[in-house]
Amino acid sequence: MDDDLKNTLGKVANTIRGLAMDGVQKARSGHPGLPMGCAELGALLYGEVLRHDPKSPAWEGRDRLVLSAGHGSMWLYSCLHLSGYAVSLDDLQRFRQLHANTPGHPEYGITPGVEATTGPLGQGIANAVGMALGLQVAQKTWGDGAPLFASKVFCLCGDGCLMEGVSSEASSFAGHMQLSNFVLIHDANQITLDGKLDESCSEDTKARYKAYGFRVYDVDGYDFEAMSQVFQEIRTSQKTPVFVQVHTTIGKGSPNKAGSHKVHGAPLGEEEVALAKKQMGMPEAAFYIPQQVLAYFAEKREKWTRAHEAWQETYQRWKREHGDLAGTWEKMHASLDPQELLHTLSNLEISTPIAGRSASHAVLQALAPVCPQLYGGSADLSGSDQTMLDAYPLIVKENFSGRNFKFGVREFAMAAMMGGMSTLGAFRPFCGTFLVFSDYMRNAIRLAALSHYPVIYQFTHDSIFLGEDGPTHQPVEHLMALRAIPHLRVFRPADTHEVKGAWISALCYQGPSAIILSRQKLPDHQETDVPYEKGLAKGAYIVRQEEGKADCTLMATGSELGLALEVADRLTKLGKNVRVVSFVCWELFEQQDTGYKQTVVGNNPGKKVSIEAGSDLGWYKYIGEEGIAIALEGFGMSAPMPDLQAEFGFHADAIVERIL
């Protein structure tokens, strides 16, 4: 690297520092420490290392960079602005303001160039591993010698990210799979928000990553020559995942706060900003960008555009030479048609009674051949949650041509990795475990909902009726906890008809879905065998209705729908007019117009009763204060299912007695 380039990159680095200081100061909130400490790294990555085209941020052949330490977002926004993404100087000046595309932490889909929603520490690492996993599958399944998807996934993390358990789960998996396109960069500044790192952590991080199977580098974050050599070696000879420990000083450039936790999460103050700029030889003007920096990136953008054009030529040649492969690849990016899925599943016969998990397994086998984008895995439970696509191999480090993943007992990382994989656009990933373990995954599910990642979570063992495993494995509050997440579609289907509909809805939704399934066998109900558009697509629908005013409306989900129909039979024999509603997906029901919702749960429905083997939280919105919630008030117990039904009142005699 010649001296002129070093000089220019130094100017870029100080510009990043200036923009970050000014953005945080103008917003009067934010985290200037990381952007200032990692400014040289940002200059090198966005100027010399990344293969990207800021004019086409969705270019499939690009490298990805995920900022796991999302609190340092002004570092990312400054780099994106300078390199030419659609992040304007005005956007930087509106940092953390209402409706700005520069929010406090990076959000996928809001800011061009932001590859994942990050902020909760550690998850960005798992997102990036998911991207690397998907790209490795793409290159080794469809690349066929052409380096179409041989991109790198870089992830910048901090000490906090590495202390969060999800980083261990994801890094362990990346090492196991020997992902040769994943580069984890550690901003090793020895400072956390509360103070010095050694007050809470003393692990040998490099030894930890060597144990995972990573190649480990150690470099000075202010030595352009040394950093450039490391990244050049990674580009040309990477065989395993890589861990690059970059030694930095948090808040570098601040005369009085550099190296201190005081610069981590608060503005420097106007006086300190002025002193920092004076020390760096920069004008006092806010949001200043030197002409030398503008000229450098203008020249770079021309080179990046030419590289993108060359990739497109390679892609078109590959399409001509490998029509079948290209056709499948492009089909994987297309939106799924619910009518085509309906046609596929209408020909699927499933013998009943059958457990919800087994019905879902049958549906997956039917969908996999017509949905090449469907890739799935389980957290060491594929034999129990039945997520395996039987006709396709397992993806292992020696062979990436299958469609099944074994994530091991790593629920949190599994969910976050699937979110990252979904951002590639070619995959509709799904993953499975027991419903009670959704707690381990919750923050990743929440970020998927915030980001509209189209991930499907298959949760089995859906209630206390799984039986003898007892209350540690019997979900109670989990349905309501998932329903509380905005934009997450939560389905609890009652039989094979609704399982089919749940998968159709989930696959056609540009956002995350959770399909909640039983362990015990359930019968089919003729009342749910209705057209998709009139039944499951509505979220809740009437499955039984007598003429005239209802004396009682029973609302139920999953296995309790059959119980509701049995209760209705009893009440009808007693001269009662009963309405029964299958309430399979609250989120979908809330999207219906007022007239439809009134038809289902209003229009003189008499006494309203909910029946669900879980918490009653939320049901009173539909049954009213005077309604009856047949629910659980505590945890379950270890016992066979019939004993639990009797103990907790989930049988027709007890429910009829309560209603009467």
Side-chain angles (χ1 to χ4, degrees), residues 349-561:
E349 294 185 6
I350 304 175
S351 299
T352 59
I354 188 172
R357 58 176 177 168
S358 301
S360 182
H361 181 255
V363 169
L364 280 169
Q365 309 319 304
L367 289 173
V370 298
C371 300
Q373 57 272 77
L374 199 58
Y375 277 67
S378 175
D380 199 48
L381 289 169
S382 61
S384 190
D385 61 31
Q386 300 193 23
T387 48
M388 191 69 72
L389 301 178
D390 295 339
Y392 302 89
L394 180 68
I395 295 171
V396 293
K397 59 188 174 185
E398 297 84 8
N399 183 5
F400 279 76
S401 64
R403 286 171 65 179
N404 297 288
F405 302 106
K406 283 192 175 180
F407 291 109
V409 189
R410 303 182 181 100
E411 292 92 349
F412 191 177
M414 173 181 72
M417 286 189 284
M418 292 292 87
M421 180 180 287
S422 75
T423 66
L424 301 180
F427 300 96
R428 288 304 304 264
F430 67 93
C431 57
T433 186
F434 294 171
L435 177 57
V436 76
F437 300 139
S438 63
D439 282 342
Y440 288 145
M441 304 162 61
R442 182 174 174 79
N443 210 272
I445 297 171
R446 183 179 186 274
L447 285 191
L450 175 64
S451 311
H452 299 280
Y453 297 149
V455 181
I456 301 171
Y457 311 99
Q458 175 169 307
F459 294 119
T460 65
H461 297 60
D462 69 341
S463 74
I464 62 169
F465 301 135
L466 66 91
E468 291 84 349
D469 276 336
T472 61
H473 283 55
Q474 293 170 355
V476 173
E477 73 279 19
H478 299 78
L479 270 167
M480 293 305 178
L482 291 173
R483 285 171 179 154
I485 300 175
H487 310 309
L488 174 69
R489 289 185 178 176
V490 181
F491 300 89
R492 189 172 182 238
D495 59 10
T496 66
H497 304 133
E498 291 191 344
V499 169
K500 292 177 181 178
W503 273 102
I504 291 170
S505 181
L507 284 169
C508 295
Y509 176 44
Q510 292 306 306
S513 301
I515 301 178
I516 317 297
L517 302 162
S518 72
R519 179 186 184 232
Q520 73 271 28
K521 292 183 177 181
L522 303 174
D524 268 352
H525 307 293
Q526 63 179 15
E527 293 91 344
T528 63
D529 189 9
V530 298
Y532 170 75
E533 296 82 1
K534 294 182 178 180
L536 188 133
K538 297 289 189 182
Y541 60 104
I542 297 171
V543 297
R544 185 177 297 181
Q545 173 74 70
E546 303 293 337
E547 293 292 333
K549 177 183 175 181
D551 297 306
C552 181
T553 294
L554 306 177
M555 308 175 198
T557 70
S559 55
E560 287 76 76
L561 181 62

Side-chain angles (χ1 to χ4, degrees), residues 9 21 47 50 62 90 103 192 202 344 413 466 483 531 569 633 654:
L9 290 175
M21 287 190 296
L50 290 178
R62 72 189 185 280
D90 181 62
T192 64
S202 55
T344 297
L466 66 91
R483 285 171 179 154
D569 289 338
E633 297 179 358

Side-chain angles (χ1 to χ4, degrees), residues 95-116:
F95 177 54
R96 290 189 162 218
Q97 303 308 299
L98 186 64
H99 301 310
N101 73 346
T102 48
H105 293 81
E107 295 181 34
Y108 177 76
I110 299 294
T111 314
V114 168
E115 301 286 1

